[in-house]
Amino acid sequence: MDVTQVIEGGWITVIGVTVVFTILGILALVLYFVGWLERRLVEREKPAAQPTATPSPAAEVKEEKPSIPPRDLAVITAAILAYTAEKASQLRPLPFRRKVSDSWRLYGLQTQMEDVEDFNYEIGKW
């Protein structure tokens, strides 16, 4: 192989990589601009915030979430765990064969043997 061919291949590689990353950079900038433009348009569409009267402290109502008593929570948790344990014990493992077939291995060996035979034929060993 000639040195000029290696240098030419290197330049083609450098030019190709430069083109690819330049295009990717342009796409990134376009996508960034589209996102920026969309944010600006959404901000314009929002109505101006209208001042609201602050509620008096007496008017505040605390909303309490319904709580489950600890005893009931423990019973529910135990029931769920017992149910999942029962379901897990009913599962049976599916049988499977580790070695589906030897056809791919044999095909690979046959191909290698044919390659060796062709090579030997080409150099005149047969």
Side-chain angles (χ1 to χ4, degrees):
M1 203 151 97
D2 194 9
V3 175
T4 57
Q5 290 176 341
V6 172
I7 293 173
E8 186 178 330
W11 277 111
I12 289 173
T13 303
V14 168
I15 291 170
V17 169
T18 304
V19 167
V20 166
F21 281 106
T22 303
I23 291 173
L24 286 174
I26 291 170
L27 285 174
L29 289 174
V30 167
L31 289 175
Y32 177 78
F33 177 72
V34 168
W36 175 79
L37 186 64
E38 184 179 2
R39 283 191 301 274
R40 296 283 294 191
L41 291 175
V42 167
E43 287 174 2
R44 272 192 204 157
E45 291 177 2
K46 286 183 182 177
Q50 298 173 356
T52 57
T54 57
S56 63
E60 288 184 24
V61 178
K62 273 192 172 179
E63 236 182 85
E64 292 187 21
K65 295 180 181 177
S67 63
I68 300 174
R71 182 177 179 274
D72 293 346
L73 185 61
V75 169
I76 292 170
T77 304
I80 292 173
L81 289 175
Y83 176 76
T84 55
E86 179 65 29
K87 282 292 184 186
S89 69
Q90 291 176 359
L91 295 177
R92 61 181 176 83
L94 294 175
F96 66 94
R97 292 181 286 168
R98 287 189 181 264
K99 200 181 219 183
V100 177
S101 72
D102 268 345
S103 61
W104 285 108
R105 185 180 67 84
L106 293 176
Y107 179 75
L109 287 173
Q110 180 183 0
T111 305
Q112 288 176 357
M113 288 172 34
E114 287 174 357
D115 289 345
V116 169
E117 288 175 2
D118 290 343
F119 178 74
N120 288 338
Y121 180 74
E122 287 174 3
I123 62 173
K125 286 192 176 180
W126 284 97

